[in-house]
PDB file of all heavy atoms in Angstrom:
ATOM      1  N   LYS A   2       0.745  -1.154   0.002  1.00 93.00           N
ATOM      2  CA  LYS A   2      -0.020  -0.026   0.004  1.00 93.00           C
ATOM      3  C   LYS A   2       0.850   1.195  -0.010  1.00 93.00           C
ATOM      4  O   LYS A   2       0.635   2.238  -0.639  1.00 93.00           O
ATOM      5  CB  LYS A   2      -0.937  -0.001   1.185  1.00 93.00           C
ATOM      6  CG  LYS A   2      -2.018  -1.085   1.136  1.00 93.00           C
ATOM      7  CD  LYS A   2      -2.790  -1.113   2.303  1.00 93.00           C
ATOM      8  CE  LYS A   2      -3.853  -2.164   2.343  1.00 93.00           C
ATOM      9  NZ  LYS A   2      -4.626  -2.299   3.530  1.00 93.00           N
ATOM     10  N   ARG A   3       1.976   1.206   0.748  1.00 93.00           N
ATOM     11  CA  ARG A   3       2.886   2.341   0.870  1.00 93.00           C
ATOM     12  C   ARG A   3       3.486   2.624  -0.559  1.00 93.00           C
ATOM     13  O   ARG A   3       3.511   3.896  -1.009  1.00 93.00           O
ATOM     14  CB  ARG A   3       4.076   1.973   1.754  1.00 93.00           C
ATOM     15  CG  ARG A   3       4.918   3.083   2.123  1.00 93.00           C
ATOM     16  CD  ARG A   3       5.880   2.559   3.224  1.00 93.00           C
ATOM     17  NE  ARG A   3       6.747   3.556   3.741  1.00 93.00           N
ATOM     18  CZ  ARG A   3       6.374   4.329   4.755  1.00 93.00           C
ATOM     19  NH1 ARG A   3       5.274   4.205   5.371  1.00 93.00           N
ATOM     20  NH2 ARG A   3       7.326   5.296   5.153  1.00 93.00           N
ATOM     21  N   GLY A   4       3.831   1.613  -1.302  1.00 92.00           N
ATOM     22  CA  GLY A   4       4.291   1.822  -2.734  1.00 92.00           C
ATOM     23  C   GLY A   4       3.288   2.458  -3.566  1.00 92.00           C
ATOM     24  O   GLY A   4       3.625   3.415  -4.358  1.00 92.00           O
ATOM     25  N   ARG A   5       2.092   2.030  -3.469  1.00 93.00           N
ATOM     26  CA  ARG A   5       0.989   2.551  -4.319  1.00 93.00           C
ATOM     27  C   ARG A   5       0.764   4.001  -3.982  1.00 93.00           C
ATOM     28  O   ARG A   5       0.578   4.858  -4.782  1.00 93.00           O
ATOM     29  CB  ARG A   5      -0.300   1.644  -4.174  1.00 93.00           C
ATOM     30  CG  ARG A   5      -0.174   0.335  -4.852  1.00 93.00           C
ATOM     31  CD  ARG A   5      -1.361  -0.399  -4.716  1.00 93.00           C
ATOM     32  NE  ARG A   5      -1.162  -1.674  -5.415  1.00 93.00           N
ATOM     33  CZ  ARG A   5      -1.600  -2.818  -5.125  1.00 93.00           C
ATOM     34  NH1 ARG A   5      -2.311  -2.954  -3.904  1.00 93.00           N
ATOM     35  NH2 ARG A   5      -1.461  -3.856  -5.736  1.00 93.00           N
ATOM     36  N   VAL A   6       0.694   4.274  -2.706  1.00 93.00           N
ATOM     37  CA  VAL A   6       0.409   5.695  -2.224  1.00 93.00           C
ATOM     38  C   VAL A   6       1.625   6.574  -2.713  1.00 93.00           C
ATOM     39  O   VAL A   6       1.442   7.717  -3.006  1.00 93.00           O
ATOM     40  CB  VAL A   6       0.173   5.684  -0.669  1.00 93.00           C
ATOM     41  CG1 VAL A   6       0.203   7.175  -0.146  1.00 93.00           C
ATOM     42  CG2 VAL A   6      -1.106   5.003  -0.347  1.00 93.00           C
ATOM     43  N   LEU A   7       2.797   6.018  -2.610  1.00 93.00           N
ATOM     44  CA  LEU A   7       4.017   6.764  -2.953  1.00 93.00           C
ATOM     45  C   LEU A   7       3.963   7.194  -4.440  1.00 93.00           C
ATOM     46  O   LEU A   7       4.257   8.280  -4.855  1.00 93.00           O
ATOM     47  CB  LEU A   7       5.216   5.960  -2.640  1.00 93.00           C
ATOM     48  CG  LEU A   7       6.587   6.760  -2.488  1.00 93.00           C
ATOM     49  CD1 LEU A   7       6.478   7.879  -1.427  1.00 93.00           C
ATOM     50  CD2 LEU A   7       7.661   5.823  -2.125  1.00 93.00           C
ATOM     51  N   VAL A   8       3.470   6.195  -5.229  1.00 92.00           N
ATOM     52  CA  VAL A   8       3.431   6.542  -6.659  1.00 92.00           C
ATOM     53  C   VAL A   8       2.358   7.644  -6.894  1.00 92.00           C
ATOM     54  O   VAL A   8       2.550   8.475  -7.735  1.00 92.00           O
ATOM     55  CB  VAL A   8       3.026   5.254  -7.533  1.00 92.00           C
ATOM     56  CG1 VAL A   8       2.656   5.550  -8.949  1.00 92.00           C
ATOM     57  CG2 VAL A   8       4.245   4.301  -7.551  1.00 92.00           C
ATOM     58  N   GLU A   9       1.148   7.511  -6.201  1.00 92.00           N
ATOM     59  CA  GLU A   9       0.193   8.487  -6.381  1.00 92.00           C
ATOM     60  C   GLU A   9       0.614   9.829  -5.900  1.00 92.00           C
ATOM     61  O   GLU A   9       0.301  10.836  -6.496  1.00 92.00           O
ATOM     62  CB  GLU A   9      -1.147   8.098  -5.567  1.00 92.00           C
ATOM     63  CG  GLU A   9      -1.796   6.880  -6.216  1.00 92.00           C
ATOM     64  CD  GLU A   9      -2.356   7.170  -7.589  1.00 92.00           C
ATOM     65  OE1 GLU A   9      -2.935   8.262  -7.795  1.00 92.00           O
ATOM     66  OE2 GLU A   9      -2.166   6.310  -8.444  1.00 92.00           O
ATOM     67  N   ALA A  10       1.393   9.950  -4.808  1.00 92.00           N
ATOM     68  CA  ALA A  10       1.904  11.161  -4.284  1.00 92.00           C
ATOM     69  C   ALA A  10       2.851  11.758  -5.276  1.00 92.00           C
ATOM     70  O   ALA A  10       2.829  12.953  -5.435  1.00 92.00           O
ATOM     71  CB  ALA A  10       2.543  11.008  -2.908  1.00 92.00           C
ATOM     72  N   ALA A  11       3.704  10.870  -5.901  1.00 92.00           N
ATOM     73  CA  ALA A  11       4.652  11.411  -6.905  1.00 92.00           C
ATOM     74  C   ALA A  11       3.901  11.933  -8.070  1.00 92.00           C
ATOM     75  O   ALA A  11       4.265  13.065  -8.616  1.00 92.00           O
ATOM     76  CB  ALA A  11       5.600  10.255  -7.235  1.00 92.00           C
ATOM     77  N   ARG A  12       2.833  11.271  -8.473  1.00 91.00           N
ATOM     78  CA  ARG A  12       2.101  11.791  -9.651  1.00 91.00           C
ATOM     79  C   ARG A  12       1.500  13.157  -9.293  1.00 91.00           C
ATOM     80  O   ARG A  12       1.388  14.050 -10.124  1.00 91.00           O
ATOM     81  CB  ARG A  12       0.920  10.833  -9.940  1.00 91.00           C
ATOM     82  CG  ARG A  12       1.361   9.548 -10.649  1.00 91.00           C
ATOM     83  CD  ARG A  12       0.292   8.491 -10.644  1.00 91.00           C
ATOM     84  NE  ARG A  12      -0.955   9.023 -11.435  1.00 91.00           N
ATOM     85  CZ  ARG A  12      -2.060   8.237 -11.501  1.00 91.00           C
ATOM     86  NH1 ARG A  12      -2.195   7.119 -10.957  1.00 91.00           N
ATOM     87  NH2 ARG A  12      -3.004   8.833 -12.312  1.00 91.00           N
ATOM     88  N   ALA A  13       0.992  13.355  -8.100  1.00 91.00           N
ATOM     89  CA  ALA A  13       0.389  14.502  -7.674  1.00 91.00           C
ATOM     90  C   ALA A  13       1.310  15.807  -7.550  1.00 91.00           C
ATOM     91  O   ALA A  13       0.965  16.791  -7.710  1.00 91.00           O
ATOM     92  CB  ALA A  13      -0.293  14.389  -6.397  1.00 91.00           C
ATOM     93  N   ARG A  14       2.584  15.435  -7.375  1.00 90.00           N
ATOM     94  CA  ARG A  14       3.633  16.377  -7.192  1.00 90.00           C
ATOM     95  C   ARG A  14       4.150  16.878  -8.589  1.00 90.00           C
ATOM     96  O   ARG A  14       5.019  17.814  -8.562  1.00 90.00           O
ATOM     97  CB  ARG A  14       4.681  16.051  -6.232  1.00 90.00           C
ATOM     98  CG  ARG A  14       4.294  16.085  -4.790  1.00 90.00           C
ATOM     99  CD  ARG A  14       5.131  15.385  -3.851  1.00 90.00           C
ATOM    100  NE  ARG A  14       4.683  15.592  -2.491  1.00 90.00           N
ATOM    101  CZ  ARG A  14       3.532  15.226  -2.026  1.00 90.00           C
ATOM    102  NH1 ARG A  14       2.671  14.487  -2.705  1.00 90.00           N
ATOM    103  NH2 ARG A  14       3.209  15.413  -0.692  1.00 90.00           N
ATOM    104  N   ARG A  15       3.936  16.185  -9.615  1.00 87.00           N
ATOM    105  CA  ARG A  15       4.447  16.494 -10.871  1.00 87.00           C
ATOM    106  C   ARG A  15       4.023  17.885 -11.225  1.00 87.00           C
ATOM    107  O   ARG A  15       2.810  18.172 -11.034  1.00 87.00           O
ATOM    108  CB  ARG A  15       4.030  15.571 -12.017  1.00 87.00           C
ATOM    109  CG  ARG A  15       4.889  14.379 -12.220  1.00 87.00           C
ATOM    110  CD  ARG A  15       4.527  13.684 -13.474  1.00 87.00           C
ATOM    111  NE  ARG A  15       5.524  12.706 -13.826  1.00 87.00           N
ATOM    112  CZ  ARG A  15       5.244  11.604 -14.434  1.00 87.00           C
ATOM    113  NH1 ARG A  15       3.986  11.345 -14.783  1.00 87.00           N
ATOM    114  NH2 ARG A  15       6.231  10.782 -14.734  1.00 87.00           N
ATOM    115  N   GLY A  16       4.889  18.843 -11.584  1.00 83.00           N
ATOM    116  CA  GLY A  16       4.631  20.150 -11.923  1.00 83.00           C
ATOM    117  C   GLY A  16       4.472  21.091 -10.698  1.00 83.00           C
ATOM    118  O   GLY A  16       4.399  22.278 -10.946  1.00 83.00           O
ATOM    119  N   THR A  17       4.617  20.512  -9.514  1.00 84.00           N
ATOM    120  CA  THR A  17       4.494  21.393  -8.330  1.00 84.00           C
ATOM    121  C   THR A  17       5.898  21.678  -7.685  1.00 84.00           C
ATOM    122  O   THR A  17       5.988  22.494  -6.823  1.00 84.00           O
ATOM    123  CB  THR A  17       3.559  20.797  -7.241  1.00 84.00           C
ATOM    124  OG1 THR A  17       4.043  19.595  -6.809  1.00 84.00           O
ATOM    125  CG2 THR A  17       2.176  20.598  -7.820  1.00 84.00           C
ATOM    126  N   ILE A  18       6.785  20.846  -8.058  1.00 82.00           N
ATOM    127  CA  ILE A  18       8.113  20.941  -7.553  1.00 82.00           C
ATOM    128  C   ILE A  18       9.013  21.412  -8.658  1.00 82.00           C
ATOM    129  O   ILE A  18       8.943  21.051  -9.781  1.00 82.00           O
ATOM    130  CB  ILE A  18       8.626  19.573  -7.009  1.00 82.00           C
ATOM    131  CG1 ILE A  18       7.814  19.094  -5.862  1.00 82.00           C
ATOM    132  CG2 ILE A  18      10.133  19.524  -6.700  1.00 82.00           C
ATOM    133  CD1 ILE A  18       8.085  17.701  -5.445  1.00 82.00           C
ATOM    134  N   PRO A  19       9.905  22.366  -8.361  1.00 79.00           N
ATOM    135  CA  PRO A  19      10.852  22.927  -9.441  1.00 79.00           C
ATOM    136  C   PRO A  19      11.452  21.786 -10.212  1.00 79.00           C
ATOM    137  O   PRO A  19      11.939  20.798  -9.619  1.00 79.00           O
ATOM    138  CB  PRO A  19      11.909  23.734  -8.650  1.00 79.00           C
ATOM    139  CG  PRO A  19      11.143  24.083  -7.354  1.00 79.00           C
ATOM    140  CD  PRO A  19      10.290  22.978  -7.081  1.00 79.00           C
ATOM    141  N   PRO A  20      11.495  21.973 -11.515  1.00 77.00           N
ATOM    142  CA  PRO A  20      12.087  20.922 -12.364  1.00 77.00           C
ATOM    143  C   PRO A  20      13.622  20.816 -12.129  1.00 77.00           C
ATOM    144  O   PRO A  20      14.244  21.726 -11.584  1.00 77.00           O
ATOM    145  CB  PRO A  20      11.828  21.314 -13.751  1.00 77.00           C
ATOM    146  CG  PRO A  20      11.603  22.851 -13.670  1.00 77.00           C
ATOM    147  CD  PRO A  20      10.984  23.050 -12.315  1.00 77.00           C
ATOM    148  N   ALA A  21      14.109  19.654 -12.432  1.00 83.00           N
ATOM    149  CA  ALA A  21      15.541  19.413 -12.191  1.00 83.00           C
ATOM    150  C   ALA A  21      16.000  18.529 -13.456  1.00 83.00           C
ATOM    151  O   ALA A  21      15.215  18.031 -14.265  1.00 83.00           O
ATOM    152  CB  ALA A  21      15.869  18.650 -11.025  1.00 83.00           C
ATOM    153  N   ASP A  22      17.298  18.448 -13.607  1.00 88.00           N
ATOM    154  CA  ASP A  22      17.811  17.531 -14.605  1.00 88.00           C
ATOM    155  C   ASP A  22      17.853  16.151 -14.059  1.00 88.00           C
ATOM    156  O   ASP A  22      18.749  15.766 -13.212  1.00 88.00           O
ATOM    157  CB  ASP A  22      19.244  18.043 -15.033  1.00 88.00           C
ATOM    158  CG  ASP A  22      19.851  17.077 -16.218  1.00 88.00           C
ATOM    159  OD1 ASP A  22      19.122  16.357 -16.632  1.00 88.00           O
ATOM    160  OD2 ASP A  22      20.943  17.331 -16.484  1.00 88.00           O
ATOM    161  N   ASP A  23      16.823  15.364 -14.462  1.00 90.00           N
ATOM    162  CA  ASP A  23      16.695  14.054 -13.896  1.00 90.00           C
ATOM    163  C   ASP A  23      17.301  13.005 -14.804  1.00 90.00           C
ATOM    164  O   ASP A  23      17.151  11.825 -14.584  1.00 90.00           O
ATOM    165  CB  ASP A  23      15.200  13.720 -13.788  1.00 90.00           C
ATOM    166  CG  ASP A  23      14.493  14.543 -12.711  1.00 90.00           C
ATOM    167  OD1 ASP A  23      15.164  14.791 -11.771  1.00 90.00           O
ATOM    168  OD2 ASP A  23      13.463  14.855 -12.906  1.00 90.00           O
ATOM    169  N   THR A  24      18.174  13.421 -15.740  1.00 89.00           N
ATOM    170  CA  THR A  24      18.730  12.441 -16.685  1.00 89.00           C
ATOM    171  C   THR A  24      19.966  11.692 -16.046  1.00 89.00           C
ATOM    172  O   THR A  24      20.623  12.278 -15.099  1.00 89.00           O
ATOM    173  CB  THR A  24      19.233  13.103 -17.901  1.00 89.00           C
ATOM    174  OG1 THR A  24      20.154  13.986 -17.691  1.00 89.00           O
ATOM    175  CG2 THR A  24      18.084  13.661 -18.713  1.00 89.00           C
ATOM    176  N   VAL A  25      20.192  10.597 -16.521  1.00 93.00           N
ATOM    177  CA  VAL A  25      21.461   9.818 -16.203  1.00 93.00           C
ATOM    178  C   VAL A  25      22.251   9.745 -17.427  1.00 93.00           C
ATOM    179  O   VAL A  25      21.819   9.176 -18.361  1.00 93.00           O
ATOM    180  CB  VAL A  25      21.222   8.447 -15.616  1.00 93.00           C
ATOM    181  CG1 VAL A  25      22.566   7.754 -15.445  1.00 93.00           C
ATOM    182  CG2 VAL A  25      20.461   8.500 -14.352  1.00 93.00           C
ATOM    183  N   PRO A  26      23.339  10.562 -17.692  1.00 90.00           N
ATOM    184  CA  PRO A  26      23.968  10.604 -18.908  1.00 90.00           C
ATOM    185  C   PRO A  26      24.552   9.224 -19.255  1.00 90.00           C
ATOM    186  O   PRO A  26      24.922   8.390 -18.383  1.00 90.00           O
ATOM    187  CB  PRO A  26      25.175  11.605 -18.606  1.00 90.00           C
ATOM    188  CG  PRO A  26      24.696  12.374 -17.483  1.00 90.00           C
ATOM    189  CD  PRO A  26      23.825  11.503 -16.597  1.00 90.00           C
ATOM    190  N   ASP A  27      24.426   8.900 -20.579  1.00 93.00           N
ATOM    191  CA  ASP A  27      24.916   7.595 -20.993  1.00 93.00           C
ATOM    192  C   ASP A  27      26.394   7.514 -21.012  1.00 93.00           C
ATOM    193  O   ASP A  27      27.008   8.279 -21.711  1.00 93.00           O
ATOM    194  CB  ASP A  27      24.335   7.308 -22.403  1.00 93.00           C
ATOM    195  CG  ASP A  27      24.598   5.916 -22.933  1.00 93.00           C
ATOM    196  OD1 ASP A  27      25.439   5.174 -22.213  1.00 93.00           O
ATOM    197  OD2 ASP A  27      24.165   5.638 -24.020  1.00 93.00           O
ATOM    198  N   PRO A  28      26.974   6.622 -20.213  1.00 94.00           N
ATOM    199  CA  PRO A  28      28.466   6.600 -20.188  1.00 94.00           C
ATOM    200  C   PRO A  28      29.119   5.823 -21.205  1.00 94.00           C
ATOM    201  O   PRO A  28      30.310   5.831 -21.380  1.00 94.00           O
ATOM    202  CB  PRO A  28      28.691   6.090 -18.734  1.00 94.00           C
ATOM    203  CG  PRO A  28      27.609   5.094 -18.638  1.00 94.00           C
ATOM    204  CD  PRO A  28      26.404   5.729 -19.283  1.00 94.00           C
ATOM    205  N   MET A  29      28.307   5.082 -22.051  1.00 95.00           N
ATOM    206  CA  MET A  29      28.875   4.140 -23.019  1.00 95.00           C
ATOM    207  C   MET A  29      29.849   4.846 -23.986  1.00 95.00           C
ATOM    208  O   MET A  29      29.626   5.913 -24.519  1.00 95.00           O
ATOM    209  CB  MET A  29      27.828   3.449 -23.820  1.00 95.00           C
ATOM    210  CG  MET A  29      26.924   2.533 -23.026  1.00 95.00           C
ATOM    211  SD  MET A  29      27.846   1.296 -22.111  1.00 95.00           S
ATOM    212  CE  MET A  29      28.448   0.288 -23.427  1.00 95.00           C
ATOM    213  N   GLY A  30      31.071   4.300 -24.115  1.00 95.00           N
ATOM    214  CA  GLY A  30      32.106   4.825 -24.889  1.00 95.00           C
ATOM    215  C   GLY A  30      32.845   5.954 -24.243  1.00 95.00           C
ATOM    216  O   GLY A  30      33.790   6.485 -24.747  1.00 95.00           O
ATOM    217  N   GLY A  31      32.436   6.341 -23.038  1.00 94.00           N
ATOM    218  CA  GLY A  31      33.107   7.405 -22.215  1.00 94.00           C
ATOM    219  C   GLY A  31      34.163   6.924 -21.371  1.00 94.00           C
ATOM    220  O   GLY A  31      34.406   5.678 -21.212  1.00 94.00           O
ATOM    221  N   PRO A  32      34.810   7.775 -20.647  1.00 94.00           N
ATOM    222  CA  PRO A  32      35.850   7.397 -19.753  1.00 94.00           C
ATOM    223  C   PRO A  32      35.311   6.623 -18.468  1.00 94.00           C
ATOM    224  O   PRO A  32      34.091   6.806 -18.259  1.00 94.00           O
ATOM    225  CB  PRO A  32      36.514   8.687 -19.269  1.00 94.00           C
ATOM    226  CG  PRO A  32      35.557   9.768 -19.554  1.00 94.00           C
ATOM    227  CD  PRO A  32      34.608   9.237 -20.777  1.00 94.00           C
ATOM    228  N   GLU A  33      36.179   6.116 -17.718  1.00 94.00           N
ATOM    229  CA  GLU A  33      35.757   5.459 -16.438  1.00 94.00           C
ATOM    230  C   GLU A  33      34.920   6.361 -15.620  1.00 94.00           C
ATOM    231  O   GLU A  33      33.993   5.876 -14.921  1.00 94.00           O
ATOM    232  CB  GLU A  33      36.965   4.850 -15.766  1.00 94.00           C
ATOM    233  CG  GLU A  33      36.565   4.205 -14.526  1.00 94.00           C
ATOM    234  CD  GLU A  33      37.784   3.566 -13.701  1.00 94.00           C
ATOM    235  OE1 GLU A  33      38.868   3.270 -14.392  1.00 94.00           O
ATOM    236  OE2 GLU A  33      37.697   3.317 -12.588  1.00 94.00           O
ATOM    237  N   GLN A  34      35.352   7.618 -15.486  1.00 95.00           N
ATOM    238  CA  GLN A  34      34.677   8.540 -14.651  1.00 95.00           C
ATOM    239  C   GLN A  34      33.253   8.763 -15.032  1.00 95.00           C
ATOM    240  O   GLN A  34      32.387   8.925 -14.173  1.00 95.00           O
ATOM    241  CB  GLN A  34      35.421   9.946 -14.616  1.00 95.00           C
ATOM    242  CG  GLN A  34      34.724  10.873 -13.659  1.00 95.00           C
ATOM    243  CD  GLN A  34      34.722  10.410 -12.203  1.00 95.00           C
ATOM    244  OE1 GLN A  34      35.565   9.613 -11.743  1.00 95.00           O
ATOM    245  NE2 GLN A  34      33.714  10.796 -11.633  1.00 95.00           N
ATOM    246  N   ALA A  35      32.935   8.641 -16.291  1.00 95.00           N
ATOM    247  CA  ALA A  35      31.560   8.790 -16.742  1.00 95.00           C
ATOM    248  C   ALA A  35      30.753   7.702 -16.202  1.00 95.00           C
ATOM    249  O   ALA A  35      29.554   7.843 -15.910  1.00 95.00           O
ATOM    250  CB  ALA A  35      31.493   8.821 -18.363  1.00 95.00           C
ATOM    251  N   HIS A  36      31.282   6.471 -16.263  1.00 96.00           N
ATOM    252  CA  HIS A  36      30.549   5.328 -15.726  1.00 96.00           C
ATOM    253  C   HIS A  36      30.371   5.442 -14.212  1.00 96.00           C
ATOM    254  O   HIS A  36      29.313   5.148 -13.821  1.00 96.00           O
ATOM    255  CB  HIS A  36      31.305   3.988 -16.001  1.00 96.00           C
ATOM    256  CG  HIS A  36      31.309   3.663 -17.503  1.00 96.00           C
ATOM    257  ND1 HIS A  36      30.393   2.851 -18.053  1.00 96.00           N
ATOM    258  CD2 HIS A  36      32.115   4.143 -18.517  1.00 96.00           C
ATOM    259  CE1 HIS A  36      30.686   2.749 -19.312  1.00 96.00           C
ATOM    260  NE2 HIS A  36      31.726   3.499 -19.640  1.00 96.00           N
ATOM    261  N   ARG A  37      31.408   5.892 -13.535  1.00 96.00           N
ATOM    262  CA  ARG A  37      31.196   6.137 -12.054  1.00 96.00           C
ATOM    263  C   ARG A  37      30.189   7.124 -11.727  1.00 96.00           C
ATOM    264  O   ARG A  37      29.422   6.937 -10.845  1.00 96.00           O
ATOM    265  CB  ARG A  37      32.545   6.577 -11.486  1.00 96.00           C
ATOM    266  CG  ARG A  37      33.660   5.403 -11.556  1.00 96.00           C
ATOM    267  CD  ARG A  37      34.950   5.920 -10.802  1.00 96.00           C
ATOM    268  NE  ARG A  37      35.950   5.020 -10.862  1.00 96.00           N
ATOM    269  CZ  ARG A  37      36.107   3.853 -10.023  1.00 96.00           C
ATOM    270  NH1 ARG A  37      35.145   3.671  -9.174  1.00 96.00           N
ATOM    271  NH2 ARG A  37      37.014   3.040 -10.264  1.00 96.00           N
ATOM    272  N   GLU A  38      30.051   8.202 -12.603  1.00 96.00           N
ATOM    273  CA  GLU A  38      29.060   9.296 -12.281  1.00 96.00           C
ATOM    274  C   GLU A  38      27.699   8.703 -12.527  1.00 96.00           C
ATOM    275  O   GLU A  38      26.716   8.923 -11.820  1.00 96.00           O
ATOM    276  CB  GLU A  38      29.352  10.448 -13.211  1.00 96.00           C
ATOM    277  CG  GLU A  38      28.381  11.566 -12.975  1.00 96.00           C
ATOM    278  CD  GLU A  38      28.205  12.200 -11.600  1.00 96.00           C
ATOM    279  OE1 GLU A  38      29.088  11.793 -10.698  1.00 96.00           O
ATOM    280  OE2 GLU A  38      27.287  12.931 -11.406  1.00 96.00           O
ATOM    281  N   ALA A  39      27.490   7.825 -13.629  1.00 96.00           N
ATOM    282  CA  ALA A  39      26.166   7.207 -13.808  1.00 96.00           C
ATOM    283  C   ALA A  39      25.859   6.322 -12.667  1.00 96.00           C
ATOM    284  O   ALA A  39      24.635   6.346 -12.200  1.00 96.00           O
ATOM    285  CB  ALA A  39      26.278   6.518 -15.186  1.00 96.00           C
ATOM    286  N   VAL A  40      26.741   5.612 -12.245  1.00 97.00           N
ATOM    287  CA  VAL A  40      26.485   4.721 -11.114  1.00 97.00           C
ATOM    288  C   VAL A  40      26.094   5.482  -9.874  1.00 97.00           C
ATOM    289  O   VAL A  40      25.121   5.092  -9.158  1.00 97.00           O
ATOM    290  CB  VAL A  40      27.656   3.748 -10.749  1.00 97.00           C
ATOM    291  CG1 VAL A  40      27.494   3.034  -9.478  1.00 97.00           C
ATOM    292  CG2 VAL A  40      27.818   2.703 -11.926  1.00 97.00           C
ATOM    293  N   ARG A  41      26.800   6.650  -9.654  1.00 97.00           N
ATOM    294  CA  ARG A  41      26.533   7.507  -8.430  1.00 97.00           C
ATOM    295  C   ARG A  41      25.105   7.991  -8.519  1.00 97.00           C
ATOM    296  O   ARG A  41      24.359   8.028  -7.513  1.00 97.00           O
ATOM    297  CB  ARG A  41      27.590   8.554  -8.338  1.00 97.00           C
ATOM    298  CG  ARG A  41      27.420   9.422  -7.111  1.00 97.00           C
ATOM    299  CD  ARG A  41      28.306  10.615  -7.130  1.00 97.00           C
ATOM    300  NE  ARG A  41      27.831  11.593  -8.129  1.00 97.00           N
ATOM    301  CZ  ARG A  41      26.787  12.388  -7.926  1.00 97.00           C
ATOM    302  NH1 ARG A  41      26.051  12.352  -6.920  1.00 97.00           N
ATOM    303  NH2 ARG A  41      26.434  13.300  -8.863  1.00 97.00           N
TER     304      ARG A  41
END
């Protein structure tokens, strides 16, 4: 139930919280540090 309520709460918060860069850059072909950053 907690998981379901959490999804609903996240849905309700879309557009109400300042946007952020939520991407995880693709490290493929990049240096080791790019892979470490993606993992982090």
